[in-house]
């Protein structure tokens, strides 16, 4: 799995990066990938993947987030997508623990002191699994009614270092899972 951490520019997330081959079209990365970048979040209605959010007319917004766009071509089904998403969320919780942050995982969201730190969605395209995870850098520009928190409020101020560290952790976790799946034989 290839990792790209974009540090030289901001990229806003509007939901369109969940389309297949986004990393290839935008960065020339062909195959399994994690692209980490920083920017605003404002998911347009036509890009919403979560039908429950769409039915409830929820807004998905933040003024500043670290975004992870993950694409995996190995197995394409929604159960695998959802499982991989939750594995990556759990891994992010572990890394946040290394920063001294006590987290709670509720499904595919990360909470700190009862406040929402992240958003996430997993889906499939005809050719790949796609996952977006967004972590608030600051809890600004969040929709009304969402009690949120950001990395800076947790004392994590070197955001580029955080992006690099978490991106490497997600890739290492995926590579370990893949290796473990290859080293076993079938039960007879």
């Amino acid at each position: 799995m290839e990792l790209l951490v974009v540090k030289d520019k901001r990229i806003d997330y509007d939901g369109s990066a969940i389309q297949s081959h986004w990393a290839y079209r935008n960065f020339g990365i062909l195959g399994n990938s994690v692209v980490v970048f920083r920017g605003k979040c404002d998911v347009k209605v036509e890009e919403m993947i979560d039908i429950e959010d769409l039915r409830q007319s929820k807004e998905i917004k933040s003024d500043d987030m670290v975004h992870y766009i993950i694409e995996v071509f190995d197995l394409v089904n929604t159960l695998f997508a959802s499982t991989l998403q939750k594995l990556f969320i759990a891994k992010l919780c572990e890394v946040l623990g290394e920063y001294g942050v006590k987290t709670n995982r509720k499904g595919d969201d990360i909470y700190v002191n009862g406040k929402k730190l992240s958003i996430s969605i997993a889906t499939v395209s005809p050719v790949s699994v796609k996952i977006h995870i967004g972590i608030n850098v600051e809890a600004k520009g969040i929709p009304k009614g969402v009690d949120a928190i950001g990395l800076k409020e947790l004392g994590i101020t070197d955001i580029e270092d955080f992006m690099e560290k978490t991106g490497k952790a997600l890739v290492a976790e995926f590579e370990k899972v893949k290796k473990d799946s290859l080293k076993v034989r079938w039960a007879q």
Side-chain angles (χ1 to χ4, degrees), residues 75-92:
L75 177 63
V76 180
N77 73 51
T78 54
L79 180 61
F80 177 66
S82 182
T83 302
L84 191 58
Q85 171 195 31
K86 286 163 184 59
L87 174 67
F88 285 154
I89 291 292
K91 189 63 183 180
L92 289 169

Side-chain angles (χ1 to χ4, degrees), residues 39-187:
K40 291 181 180 182
C41 177
D42 187 2
V43 179
K44 305 299 179 206
V45 172
E46 60 272 13
E47 298 292 347
M48 279 196 187
I49 298 297
D50 190 322
I51 297 167
E52 187 174 308
D53 288 347
L54 190 59
R55 287 178 48 94
Q56 295 175 8
S57 300
K58 285 188 177 177
E59 287 185 300
I60 303 172
K61 290 183 168 188
S62 179
D63 285 351
D64 194 4
M65 295 187 107
V66 173
H67 299 278
Y68 306 81
I69 300 296
I70 301 151
E71 187 163 26
V72 176
F73 293 88
D74 297 284
L75 177 63
V76 180
N77 73 51
T78 54
L79 180 61
F80 177 66
S82 182
T83 302
L84 191 58
Q85 171 195 31
K86 286 163 184 59
L87 174 67
F88 285 154
I89 291 292
K91 189 63 183 180
L92 289 169
C93 287
E94 284 181 20
V95 175
L96 285 160
E98 294 171 13
Y99 283 90
V101 177
K102 185 176 180 342
T103 61
N104 290 327
R105 182 180 67 87
K106 296 180 186 175
D108 53 25
D109 290 319
I110 302 170
Y111 287 81
V112 178
N113 299 323
K115 296 181 179 184
K116 192 170 183 183
L117 179 64
S118 70
I119 60 170
S120 183
I121 192 68
T123 192
V124 295
S125 78
V127 297
S128 64
V129 160
K130 290 294 306 238
I131 300 169
H132 168 256
I133 300 169
I135 296 180
N136 291 318
V137 173
E138 293 185 86
K140 294 182 179 176
I142 308 294
K144 290 180 183 175
V146 176
D147 194 12
I149 195 164
L151 294 171
K152 288 187 176 180
E153 294 152 287
L154 299 171
I156 300 172
T157 56
D158 189 340
I159 304 305
E160 287 187 359
D161 179 66
F162 179 82
M163 292 166 61
E164 190 78 37
K165 185 173 185 173
T166 53
K168 286 178 179 177
L170 295 183
V171 168
E173 190 75 4
F174 179 82
E175 293 298 336
K176 174 137 181 36
V177 167
K178 189 161 185 173
K179 179 183 176 188
D180 288 351
S181 75
L182 297 173
K183 70 179 186 175
V184 296
R185 65 178 184 86
W186 286 26

